[in-house]
Amino acid sequence: MDLKDQLKNLFPDHEPSPEETIEEVAHELYVQKEPMICKFEKRKGKATTIIEGYEGTDEDFKILAKEIKTKLSVGGTFKDDSIIIQGDYRDKIMTILKEKGFKVKRVGG
């Protein structure tokens, strides 16, 4: 005897309501007209790639940072309206951003 049968025995007059379907809406990132800046810096002797210039919300930028970090399997952070990625991954990051529809400008080196 499953749960529905047990509930039917306990509450014989109850009519189950039809189940509501919840539609999952994919979160879309704001694609801007101005290009994002992808630059290379050395911080404390280590190579870092910095992405700046996103005009959307901070939450969208954090989601974008997480996607980049997982696709490249590298560490990084979101700080002061910029994404800081460990290592020199400018070319790979630029291709990822272009696939998403962003305009990207390469700066430095």
Side-chain angles (χ1 to χ4, degrees):
M1 189 178 263
D2 66 343
L3 183 61
K4 286 184 180 181
D5 293 334
Q6 290 176 5
L7 288 173
K8 192 70 168 169
N9 288 338
L10 290 172
F11 305 104
D13 298 333
H14 177 72
E15 291 294 323
S17 62
E19 293 184 23
E20 297 179 13
T21 57
I22 299 172
E23 294 181 19
E24 293 277 332
V25 178
H27 185 74
E28 293 186 18
L29 295 174
Y30 169 74
V31 179
Q32 60 197 27
K33 294 179 182 176
E34 295 295 318
M36 293 173 65
I37 297 172
C38 185
K39 63 183 176 179
F40 171 76
E41 281 186 11
K42 280 202 167 191
R43 293 188 174 184
K44 297 181 183 177
K46 299 191 178 186
T48 57
T49 304
I50 301 169
I51 305 161
E52 296 176 332
Y54 186 69
E55 297 171 354
T57 63
D58 283 347
E59 292 301 317
D60 287 349
F61 208 35
K62 287 179 184 178
I63 292 169
L64 185 64
K66 187 170 184 171
E67 285 180 19
I68 291 171
K69 290 189 296 184
T70 54
K71 282 187 179 180
L72 296 177
S73 301
V74 295
T77 186
F78 173 80
K79 197 184 287 185
D80 300 328
D81 295 331
S82 63
I83 301 172
I84 302 169
I85 303 292
Q86 296 173 355
D88 186 8
Y89 293 100
R90 285 177 290 180
D91 296 328
K92 292 180 182 178
I93 290 172
M94 287 174 66
T95 56
I96 290 170
L97 292 175
K98 285 179 183 177
E99 287 172 3
K100 291 193 169 287
F102 291 102
K103 294 178 184 173
V104 185
K105 192 177 205 179
R106 182 180 174 136
V107 176

